[in-house]
Amino acid sequence: MRLYRAASGLLPRGFPDDYGAGMEAMFRDEWRARTRVGRVVLVGRAAADLVWTAITVRVLGTHGTRLEGGTTMTMWTGWGMDLRTSLRALARAPLFTGSAALSLALGFGGVATVYALADQMLLDPIEGVRDADALVELTPAGLPYPVVQDYQRAMRTLSGVAAHRARTAALELGPGADPRPVPVGVVSANYFDVLGVSPERGRLLTPSDSLQGAPLVAVLSHAIWTELGRRDDVIGTDVRINGAAFRVVGVAPAGFSGLRLWTHPAVFIPVEGWNAASLGRTPTVDRRGWGWMAAVARLAPGASVAAAVEEVRDVAEQIVTAHPENEADLAQVGVVPARLRAADEAGGALPPLLLALGGMALLALLAAAANVANLLLSRATRRARELSVRAALGAGRARLARLAMVEYGLLVALGAALGLGLSVVALRALGAMPLPGGIRIDVAGFRPDPFYLTAACLLLLLVVAVAGIAPALASGRVSSSLAMSDRSGGGGPRGGRLRAGLAALQVGVSVVLLAGTLLFGQSIVRALGVDLRFTPEQLAVVRIDASLFRDDRAAASSAVSRLLEQIREQPGVDAASWSTVAPLTQDRETETFDIVGRAWPDRRPSVEINAVGGDFFEASGIPLVSGNAEAVAGPVRTPTVVVTESMARRYWPDESPVGATLAIMARSSRWRPWRPTRASTDSAVTPGRWSSACSPPCPRLR
């Protein structure tokens, strides 16, 4: 004690007179409670504590409560002392600090990860553009290119209207390079101007690139440019798209990959250049009867979506008056925010999935907060003697509450920092995984929202403060005699009820999380165990862009037949066929139909349809439950229909569908009057668990 009093001489004059007795009392209690080794550690810590206190008071003490000898203590000096004391307290309890920080990190990291996914997929899915909130898209998506140009000239509430469409084509990046199928962004010349995108290298498309006779030009995506080594000499070279040479004039910026989550164009070309890239096998882009473009626009300053909708409808009426052939294309014209169309290819599955994940993450955060609150209450029970000593030495309830707030604020900050780190690791892991549909998770797209992070930290701080500051306040009311006894650490009946309530909350939330996890796992197991009624393990799928043969079905049939013959000759191939829709995909094509000899009470029913080759069932391994197997094997010489068991049970509940005659109604991407196609002369039934569909353009190769 004499050495301790001598070392107190490092402190400013007057400081030991006010606080020396309390410091000596705490040192004496610690000395008596420790072993020999612990006393050595206590001496070292006390020396460091005295030095740090002396520096803090002398350097930061400029204004505030005046001490004897002229030294002053400021409010910030008090906060600095609380910070030092809190750091020491957390360091002395590494098990508690690690457990609490890890619990908060897991809860906070889960919420941060789900928020990052929702932000990238739903809230702000369009990257690399200027003021994405002002971007809108015109509906329906399939508009003829001349109609988009009409909107460009007539709209006033929209400062720019651009056309875009992703088409699959064979890309050759240089002489001798193997062609590979990639999405090609077919866009109008003002596409990048409307989006507010700046080039990474070179230039982007300009109106001169769309003039008749202009050279064919292309803009590479940043991903393709990175694949080429980010060479500046790429500008001015040629790439081949379906064999046609396009001059590279620029590179799109990093982070910009189009306006769709699942489709990332590798190269962008003007709409007028698609005639050359399609090898003349598609309709010309200025054909008003070909609805194939999507239109994106930017709201004019001061314009609203509602005003744009009204003007778009007025302009649509003018277009239909001048060009009646576009009446079907503009039947339900409208305007929607562009970000709502970015995830259209998911079929509306993303919002409920992310909502479920967000709910689970919030429950995990609540469980983590309850766990930390229980840890804090238990820690407060063990620290009740220390808090009571501080209260007995003159520390008021506000002073104790401030000390607790600093300590728990440090704990929350540590947990939040670890949680953000875990979130980045999780996003990187997701980015490295091949996700369905080709969607990419870019960790660079995780932009921590200051408002969101502040709200989450305040919520966590509120939870831990309720559990931590309350015992500190209660300690200010403990009597001196009880403070020095060991019976003050129980927290009283109120503390016991609070701990019991938090424990019940933690157990309840944990049970819900556990049940949800088990149900989710059970759903996955059941989905993987569904009897598909065929074996997909040995099937390989090759995708062919047959849209180039839209106007030449004979050439398409010949090309596919040659390809199938070459595939059948490969070792290990037992059978090969074609279909417009591959099994177990999200593609969809719907047709209406009539059953000859049966009248429908209202409108004709519709069914998903798949056009297939004659040996499709042999190649895919789908068995026929009933019917004439020879009628669907080999070359099909007569119109034949095969229905699923589910369709048979619905429309032929008491009889066999084999032998029935159907009239299939053909529907194109444009709404035209229904017209019957050839009726079938035979039919068969396949297992009911397999069904498929196709979305336009999915040409029928007969």
Side-chain angles (χ1 to χ4, degrees):
M1 292 304 301
R2 286 194 296 270
L3 289 175
Y4 187 81
R5 293 190 189 98
S8 300
L10 296 173
L11 298 172
R13 292 181 58 188
F15 193 95
D17 297 337
D18 291 343
Y19 301 97
M23 296 170 61
E24 291 179 10
M26 291 187 64
F27 182 81
R28 183 183 299 108
D29 290 341
E30 291 280 348
W31 181 271
R32 292 173 179 173
R34 291 177 179 266
T35 62
R36 291 183 178 179
V37 177
R39 289 175 178 177
V40 174
V41 176
L42 176 63
V43 169
R45 196 178 72 229
D49 179 64
L50 289 172
V51 172
W52 177 261
T53 302
I55 295 174
T56 303
V57 174
R58 291 181 183 276
V59 174
L60 299 179
T62 56
H63 299 285
T65 304
R66 182 167 298 278
L67 303 176
E68 185 179 349
T71 305
T72 58
M73 174 174 287
T74 67
M75 181 189 69
W76 293 111
T77 303
W79 283 102
M81 294 178 63
D82 291 342
L83 178 61
R84 174 182 53 80
T85 304
S86 300
L87 290 173
R88 287 176 49 200
L90 293 177
R92 284 200 307 264
L95 184 59
F96 161 78
T97 304
S99 300
L102 183 59
S103 297
L104 292 176
L106 292 176
F108 192 87
V111 175
T113 301
V114 175
Y115 174 82
L117 295 177
D119 178 67
Q120 190 171 115
M121 297 182 183
L122 296 179
L123 302 180
D124 193 11
I126 303 176
E127 298 285 345
V129 302
R130 172 177 53 85
D131 191 13
D133 293 335
L135 291 178
V136 296
E137 287 209 24
L138 276 62
T139 59
L143 293 174
Y145 182 53
V147 171
V148 179
Q149 293 176 314
D150 293 338
Y151 280 120
Q152 288 177 348
R153 292 186 289 265
M155 295 298 298
R156 296 294 178 266
T157 57
L158 302 178
S159 60
V161 181
H164 67 101
R165 174 65 187 271
R167 306 281 290 187
T168 302
L171 175 65
E172 300 176 54
L173 294 176
D178 293 333
R180 56 177 176 174
V182 297
V184 174
V186 184
V187 300
S188 57
N190 66 335
Y191 174 75
F192 294 103
D193 290 336
V194 170
L195 299 184
V197 175
S198 301
E200 180 76 23
R201 291 288 189 279
R203 68 172 179 87
L204 301 178
L205 300 180
T206 62
S208 61
D209 296 325
S210 62
L211 299 178
Q212 185 176 4
L216 299 177
V217 297
V219 174
L220 298 181
S221 68
H222 196 274
I224 290 294
W225 182 56
T226 302
E227 184 179 324
L228 294 174
R230 299 191 178 189
R231 304 195 321 266
D232 292 337
D233 58 358
V234 171
I235 308 299
T237 61
D238 289 343
V239 295
R240 291 188 173 272
I241 302 175
N242 284 343
F246 285 75
R247 180 63 51 89
V248 177
V249 296
V251 177
F256 176 75
S257 56
L259 299 178
R260 295 293 183 267
L261 280 177
W262 271 261
T263 304
H264 309 289
V267 62
F268 299 88
I269 64 173
V271 176
E272 291 74 13
W274 180 247
N275 289 330
S278 65
L279 309 179
R281 292 187 177 134
T282 60
T284 57
V285 297
D286 57 354
R287 178 178 170 183
R288 284 192 170 269
W290 186 25
W292 65 299
M293 301 298 298
V296 61
R298 181 174 292 276
L299 291 173
S304 63
V305 175
V309 170
E310 293 297 329
E311 186 181 16
V312 163
R313 291 175 178 173
D314 294 340
V315 173
E317 293 179 359
Q318 300 173 13
I319 296 175
V320 171
T321 301
H323 305 280
E325 64 271 23
N326 290 130
E327 180 178 3
D329 299 313
L330 306 178
Q332 296 179 344
V333 68
V335 176
V336 297
R339 63 179 55 187
L340 298 181
R341 301 295 301 274
D344 270 359
E345 296 158 307
L350 272 181
L353 175 61
L354 292 175
L355 183 62
L357 290 176
M360 298 291 285
L362 287 176
L363 285 177
L365 181 61
L366 182 60
N371 180 46
V372 173
N374 263 326
L375 289 174
L376 290 173
L377 285 175
S378 300
R379 176 172 169 79
T381 300
R382 293 192 298 269
R383 295 184 63 189
R385 179 181 176 85
E386 174 193 341
L387 296 176
S388 299
V389 169
R390 291 179 181 272
L393 293 176
R397 284 180 290 174
R399 182 71 174 82
L400 295 176
R402 190 179 72 178
L403 178 62
M405 185 173 62
V406 171
E407 181 174 334
Y408 303 143
L410 287 174
L411 198 60
V412 169
L414 179 59
L418 291 177
L420 287 178
L422 292 177
S423 178
V424 172
V425 172
L427 290 173
R428 288 189 181 277
L430 288 175
M433 294 171 56
L435 300 180
I439 190 171
R440 297 183 303 182
I441 302 298
D442 185 10
V443 68
F446 178 31
R447 300 176 303 277
D449 188 342
F451 175 79
Y452 159 76
L453 293 180
T454 302
C457 289
L458 288 178
L459 177 62
L460 290 178
L461 187 59
L462 176 63
V463 173
V464 298
V466 170
I469 297 179
L473 294 176
S475 298
R477 297 191 296 268
V478 178
S479 63
S480 300
S481 60
L482 185 59
M484 300 309 297
S485 68
D486 294 331
R487 298 191 302 272
S488 61
R494 293 183 180 180
R497 286 194 295 268
L498 181 58
R499 286 195 299 272
L502 288 173
L505 174 63
Q506 185 179 1
V507 171
V509 173
S510 299
V511 169
V512 172
L513 285 174
L514 181 60
T517 303
L518 292 177
L519 290 175
F520 183 71
Q522 187 180 33
S523 299
I524 294 179
V525 172
R526 287 184 176 180
L528 295 176
V530 167
D531 182 11
L532 301 176
R533 305 293 293 274
F534 78 105
T535 55
E537 286 78 10
Q538 293 181 305
L539 293 182
V541 178
V542 178
R543 290 190 176 272
I544 306 171
D545 182 16
S547 61
L548 297 177
F549 299 97
R550 181 183 293 272
D551 292 343
D552 194 346
R553 296 183 182 274
S557 178
S558 176
V560 173
S561 297
R562 293 195 304 270
L563 178 61
L564 289 177
E565 288 299 326
Q566 296 178 13
I567 292 176
R568 293 188 184 104
E569 294 175 357
Q570 300 299 316
V573 176
D574 294 333
S577 184
W578 61 265
S579 66
T580 56
V581 179
L584 304 179
T585 60
Q586 296 293 329
D587 298 333
R588 179 179 298 271
E589 181 178 356
T590 304
E591 302 280 5
T592 61
F593 69 96
D594 277 327
I595 301 177
V596 177
R598 183 184 301 183
W600 304 111
D602 43 18
R603 61 180 183 179
R604 298 183 180 94
S606 61
V607 66
E608 295 180 9
I609 193 170
N610 187 14
V612 301
D615 49 356
F616 171 78
F617 295 98
E618 178 187 0
S620 60
I622 300 176
L624 295 180
V625 176
S626 62
N628 186 357
E630 296 180 357
V632 295
V636 178
R637 303 185 182 280
T638 59
T640 303
V641 173
V642 178
V643 301
T644 62
E645 281 183 319
S646 58
M647 182 176 178
R649 287 193 299 267
R650 180 172 182 179
Y651 296 103
W652 294 274
D654 301 322
E655 57 181 321
S656 173
V658 177
T661 303
L662 302 182
I664 306 297
M665 316 303 289
R667 184 176 73 182
S668 66
S669 59
R670 293 185 56 225
W671 291 91
R672 295 192 181 95
W674 301 103
R675 55 184 178 83
T677 59
R678 297 175 296 175
S680 65
T681 58
D682 200 352
S683 63
V685 180
T686 63
R689 290 192 180 274
W690 183 85
S691 61
S692 60
C694 184
S695 58
C698 284
R700 301 180 182 185
L701 310 181
R702 301 189 183 279

